[in-house]
Amino acid sequence: MKLSVIIPVFNEVATVATVIAQVRQCGVPELEILVVDDCSQDGTGPLLDAMPPSPDLVVIHHPKNQGKGAAIRTAQARVTGDVVIIQDADLEYSPREFPRMLRFIEEGRADAVFGSRYSSPAHLVDSFWHRKGNQWLTSFSNLCANLSLTDMETCYKMIRRDFFQRFTLECNRFGFEPEITAKLAQAQARIFEIPIDYVPRPYDQGKKIGWRDGVAALWHILKYNFFCRQKQIPQQESRS
């Protein structure tokens, strides 16, 4: 199976080349990497443009900053792989997890696979409020979507392309996470969740999500589970 990896980027000049190299070394034989530079101001754009041309790499530039969700939406129509995953441009998540996640879809058992940062018995300790905020949002999302996830806000959501490209995505920022979770639930997607390695980045090293995004996530959970519901994809068609 061909895997399309979407990398939204904003001011990650110190890490983006390393992340692209890690994706290429992840162990999945057939890859497509779509990097969307969300109008970075730190030299990220020129660095990406200076990379040697390669058939596995597509670089797209936003003329103005719009947010992570907007970057994902830009790449949504361009993906050609059988399966899609989002990769943050920092070093918090390891692409070494891709083969383990992909196996569930390759075997026909899953339509989507979430990588849970907090279900592993051993993980680097995160800050209290970041961990608690994630737990509260995940619990509220589970209640509204009738799911039993341990980490709704995880970046690692691997999704079959036929599901992913049918969704009309709207959120421009980090609301993408509750939005796509609600839409997968409403499409009756078979979701697996597996533990992954995670190395949290502190705010003084460039972490961008904040408490305002947590408050906004509450609204997005309500909006996409109750007010703007995704039209269901017929099961037989979506799993053929």
Side-chain angles (χ1 to χ4, degrees):
M1 276 190 166
K2 180 179 178 181
L3 179 63
S4 294
V5 183
I6 298 174
I7 308 180
V9 179
F10 178 65
N11 290 346
E12 299 287 4
V13 68
T15 58
V16 66
T18 300
V19 167
I20 292 172
Q22 289 180 352
V23 170
R24 284 173 165 160
Q25 298 164 8
C26 72
V28 176
E30 192 174 5
L31 286 170
E32 172 185 60
I33 305 170
L34 298 98
V35 184
V36 183
D37 175 33
D38 195 29
C39 197
S40 297
Q41 302 298 315
D42 66 343
T44 296
L47 183 150
L48 290 169
D49 289 338
M51 287 186 169
S54 175
D56 70 346
L57 180 64
V58 177
V59 176
I60 307 165
H61 295 283
H62 277 177
K64 65 178 182 179
N65 180 256
Q66 300 176 61
K68 177 180 179 178
I72 294 169
R73 191 166 59 246
T74 294
Q76 184 186 24
R78 301 278 298 270
V79 295
T80 63
D82 304 291
V83 182
V84 180
I85 193 168
I86 315 303
Q87 169 71 53
D88 280 349
D90 53 29
L91 301 175
E92 291 187 328
Y93 294 82
S94 171
R96 291 191 305 257
E97 306 289 355
F98 291 172
R100 287 199 309 124
M101 298 176 70
L102 186 60
R103 185 171 66 249
F104 290 89
I105 298 178
E106 287 178 324
E107 293 173 354
R109 293 194 283 163
D111 302 309
V113 181
F114 284 32
S116 173
R117 296 167 290 177
Y118 304 117
S119 60
S120 173
H123 56 265
L124 184 64
V125 173
D126 203 351
S127 68
F128 175 83
W129 287 113
H130 187 261
R131 176 69 183 274
K132 280 298 178 186
N134 180 76
Q135 288 177 340
W136 293 333
L137 290 174
T138 296
S139 295
F140 187 49
S141 174
N142 284 341
L143 176 67
C144 295
N146 193 26
L147 295 173
S148 58
L149 297 167
T150 65
D151 188 8
M152 178 274 295
E153 289 281 356
T154 180
C155 169
Y156 271 5
K157 295 177 174 71
M158 184 176 284
I159 306 168
R160 285 175 42 179
R161 177 168 63 95
D162 55 344
F163 273 82
F164 180 69
Q165 287 190 324
R166 289 172 188 241
F167 296 145
T168 301
L169 301 176
E170 299 176 358
C171 289
N172 284 338
R173 286 181 52 79
F174 298 102
F176 167 80
E177 310 300 353
E179 178 186 6
I180 196 70
T181 301
K183 290 179 176 179
L184 284 167
Q186 290 154 27
Q188 299 181 5
R190 298 166 299 167
I191 303 173
F192 268 71
E193 188 179 48
I194 67 171
I196 59 169
D197 286 336
Y198 172 66
V199 181
R201 178 171 65 163
Y203 288 96
D204 61 4
Q205 293 182 16
K207 193 175 187 70
K208 299 175 179 67
I209 193 168
W211 67 267
R212 291 181 179 85
D213 295 296
V215 173
L218 293 172
W219 163 241
H220 294 314
I221 291 169
L222 288 170
K223 177 180 178 180
Y224 292 109
N225 280 286
F226 298 112
F227 307 132
C228 298
R229 292 178 60 84
Q230 170 71 38
K231 183 179 179 180
Q232 287 190 5
I233 302 171
Q235 293 189 35
Q236 186 176 9
E237 180 185 352
S238 67
R239 293 167 190 169
S240 59

